[in-house]
Amino acid sequence: MHTVRDAVREFLRAQDMTTVFGNPGSTELGFLQQWPEDFQYVHALEEGVAVAMADGYTQITGLPALVNLHSAAGLGNAMGSIITAHHNRAPIVLLAGQQARPLLPHDPFLANLDPAGLGGDYLKWTCQPARAQDVPEALARAVQIATQPPHGPVLVSVPADDWNEPTAPVGDRFRPAPCAPNPAALQSLVDALGRSAHTAFVVGAAVDQDGAVPTLVSLVDRLGPDVWAAPMSHRCSFPENHPRFAGHLPASPGPLTAALAGYDLVVVLGAPAFTYHVHSPAQQALPPLFVLSDDPAVLSRTPAGSIGIHTSPALGIAGLITSTAPRKKLPAPPRRSTTPSPAPGSGGITAAQVLATLAELLPDNAVIVEEVPGHRSDMHRYLPITSLHAGFLSTGSGVLGYSVSAAVGAALAAPFRPVVALVGDGSLMYRPQALWNAVQQRTPIAIIVLDNGGYGALHTMAHDAQAQGVPGLDIAGVDFVRLAQSMGCHAITVADFRWLRSAVTAALDADAPVLVHVDMESCRQPLRTLHRE
């Protein structure tokens, strides 16, 4: 008898989705039993870790990934990572267990009472098939939707008694083709570029996800615009050591409009226009704006007067290369210093020194998975990302607990690329279980913990907002070395700048995960003083 379980596994093989991330529960036993030898089950100790690992995995491979969750309990535990997967455009298929069909009318224990609604708008599509026989077809549709630009997470809820039911095989499916720009719309942009004397490109994560960074570099060399990174972009979509790179746009209307004030044309590629974090009045109107995106939701919320072009970044950029003539080279935008000095008169360590040391030591093909929101400006200044493919991953949602889990997933996807998880002390404690996964999966990632004794970004924001007496901003009493060692991960503490380089080098050269706890004691007192003022 050909069962639902047989049909699902056959389809997953055909889709190259045999690496499954998950945390098992009772309602998934029918799917997990007699686990095939050609499938890999990446067991997480917590569901959010499973989803974040899958997120990092898909960011590198570009392929959909399957995550097995336990009914409403697993989906609820994973919601923070699902929100990140939504903003990261990660093609993740969530296969969630559900109680047996005869029990569902009675609201049984461990049921998902609302499988279609629990994930809300953060899921592109949800389905609990009406019949067991429909499960393979629902999964096939889920993969199609997850991989249709803009990519994103989907959910299929499967009752526990469906897996042994008979069904027919489901055929393999081709992934959706990318959309090309409308020729007339593209020509309007070409004409605007021909008239422009000072153009800015604003590039976002979708350019890198589409594998279009090398093509974008060719277009920039051809036309000579200044290139800005979009606010809050979770990937690097243009090499930051390129002479046309102008910097990172602030996520606030006032300073953003000021940064773009000198241009007569702005072209936004693979990003919203724009993602803001802090409100401030716009200082002036934006220049004429073109937005190229494969996301209709992004195009629908572009500023009034702008022109949206529905296209994949790769095809849009390629179309511009074939339709534009090379232009005279313009002076490069000013560059900022990238070489900090050690703290004078002290052996202590600052975040800038850690980031500059990484910049010197990392090979060109390294992947940095970042979660140090309190040190983002230092990272932009001292750790330029120069890779042309997935050299930088972060959380597009701001939900903490991403870095180490996603780094494990990235290392599984790219075992021959060095992977660094750059994480704050507060961020690490959201999902420390990922350290166990790093060990169990034998992923040789370097985990660099910048410990400033609290939530540094919140300290800064509280100070800027003149919010005094805010509780819960400091963290004390966590022994990060012992925490890592308890999960089998080698770990060391560095509190003196003189030993930083050797510690980071050892972590990068290791064949197993290593946690380097950077005790930035010199940074702690200023933060706490700031908090009290």
Side-chain angles (χ1 to χ4, degrees), residues 278-300:
V278 178
H279 174 68
S280 63
Q283 299 182 15
Q284 53 201 21
L286 287 164
L289 197 69
F290 281 79
V291 181
L292 279 66
S293 176
D294 58 11
D295 187 346
V298 165
L299 297 175
S300 71

Side-chain angles (χ1 to χ4, degrees), residues 91 124-126 140-154 176:
K124 286 186 68 177
W125 184 71
T126 61
R141 184 177 179 186
V143 172
Q144 289 286 95
I145 293 173
T147 55
Q148 174 70 52
H151 298 169
V154 297

Side-chain angles (χ1 to χ4, degrees), residues 196-476:
S196 172
H198 197 191
T199 303
F201 282 4
V202 178
V203 299
V207 174
D208 190 33
Q209 284 182 308
D210 213 20
V213 178
T215 313
L216 176 60
V217 171
S218 298
L219 178 64
V220 170
D221 290 340
R222 184 180 185 86
L223 300 182
D226 293 349
V227 182
W228 291 87
M232 312 304 293
S233 182
H234 61 274
R235 293 175 72 132
C236 174
S237 292
F238 193 76
E240 295 174 17
N241 62 342
H242 191 282
R244 301 306 316 173
F245 183 69
H248 298 78
L249 284 178
S252 185
L256 181 141
T257 54
L260 297 178
Y263 299 100
D264 57 19
L265 177 66
V266 175
V267 182
V268 182
L269 299 165
F274 293 97
T275 299
Y276 295 124
H277 183 212
V278 178
H279 174 68
S280 63
Q283 299 182 15
Q284 53 201 21
L286 287 164
L289 197 69
F290 281 79
V291 181
L292 279 66
S293 176
D294 58 11
D295 187 346
V298 165
L299 297 175
S300 71
R301 64 177 188 267
T302 54
S306 60
I307 297 176
I309 300 178
H310 189 210
T311 178
S312 77
L315 292 179
I317 293 167
L320 289 174
I321 285 182
T322 59
S323 304
T324 56
R327 302 188 64 178
K328 181 181 177 181
K329 296 294 186 288
L330 299 173
R335 302 293 297 163
R336 291 169 291 181
S337 170
T338 58
T339 308
S341 300
S346 171
I349 305 176
T350 66
Q353 292 166 338
V354 175
L355 297 168
T357 300
L358 275 174
E360 294 175 14
L361 296 177
L362 285 178
D364 292 338
N365 67 335
V367 181
I368 297 173
V369 189
E370 176 269 338
E371 196 170 17
V372 286
H375 304 293
R376 184 65 65 86
S377 60
D378 278 339
M379 187 185 67
H380 290 164
R381 182 173 183 183
Y382 300 115
L383 184 57
I385 308 300
T386 61
S387 172
L388 297 182
H389 175 66
F392 173 79
L393 306 176
S394 186
T395 165
S397 68
V399 178
L400 298 181
Y402 177 78
S403 176
V404 179
S405 304
V408 174
L412 289 172
F416 302 109
R417 294 182 68 178
V419 178
V420 175
L422 187 60
V423 62
D425 51 329
S427 300
L428 177 60
M429 291 310 297
Y430 275 80
R431 290 201 171 90
Q433 303 96 328
L435 295 170
W436 181 85
N437 271 105
V439 174
Q440 295 300 312
Q441 298 302 320
R442 298 179 176 86
T443 50
I445 60 176
I447 304 159
I448 312 297
V449 183
L450 300 185
D451 180 5
N452 58 16
Y455 299 111
L458 280 178
H459 273 287
T460 301
M461 294 183 73
H463 178 263
D464 292 345
Q466 298 182 341
Q468 300 180 13
V470 178
L473 302 188
D474 297 327
I475 302 172

Side-chain angles (χ1 to χ4, degrees), residues 472-494:
L473 302 188
D474 297 327
I475 302 172
V478 180
D479 189 328
F480 290 96
V481 169
R482 289 187 178 182
L483 174 65
Q485 290 173 341
S486 73
M487 301 189 196
C489 182
H490 181 67
I492 56 172
T493 289
V494 180

Side-chain angles (χ1 to χ4, degrees), residues 12-94:
L12 293 174
R13 286 189 182 97
Q15 293 289 305
D16 195 22
M17 295 175 64
T18 56
T19 297
V20 180
F21 303 85
N23 180 269
S26 57
T27 54
E28 296 77 64
L29 294 177
F31 170 63
L32 297 174
Q33 70 182 53
Q34 298 174 341
W35 192 246
E37 292 184 358
D38 60 326
F39 277 59
Q40 179 184 14
Y41 187 84
V42 183
H43 172 211
L45 298 180
E46 191 265 347
E47 293 87 349
V49 173
V51 174
M53 283 194 296
D55 189 321
Y57 186 86
T58 66
Q59 299 299 331
I60 298 295
T61 65
L63 301 174
L66 189 73
V67 178
N68 184 227
L69 297 176
H70 178 42
S71 190
L75 189 63
N77 287 342
M79 269 311 301
S81 291
I82 292 170
I83 292 170
T84 295
H86 164 80
H87 287 285
N88 281 9
R89 298 164 44 112
I92 293 174
V93 179
L94 305 169

Side-chain angles (χ1 to χ4, degrees), residues 4 27-28 69-72 75 93-108 110-118 123 125-139 141-142 145 154-163:
V4 170
T27 54
E28 296 77 64
L69 297 176
H70 178 42
S71 190
L75 189 63
V93 179
L94 305 169
L95 188 65
Q98 173 66 294
Q99 269 289 8
R101 290 183 184 270
L103 297 177
L104 292 180
H106 310 290
D107 292 351
L110 288 178
N112 187 344
L113 303 182
D114 188 14
L118 186 56
L123 296 172
W125 184 71
T126 61
C127 178
Q128 182 168 287
R131 307 178 306 159
Q133 292 85 352
D134 300 329
V135 169
E137 184 66 33
L139 183 65
R141 184 177 179 186
I145 293 173
V154 297
L155 170 72
V156 179
S157 173
V158 182
D161 53 339
D162 282 5
W163 293 104

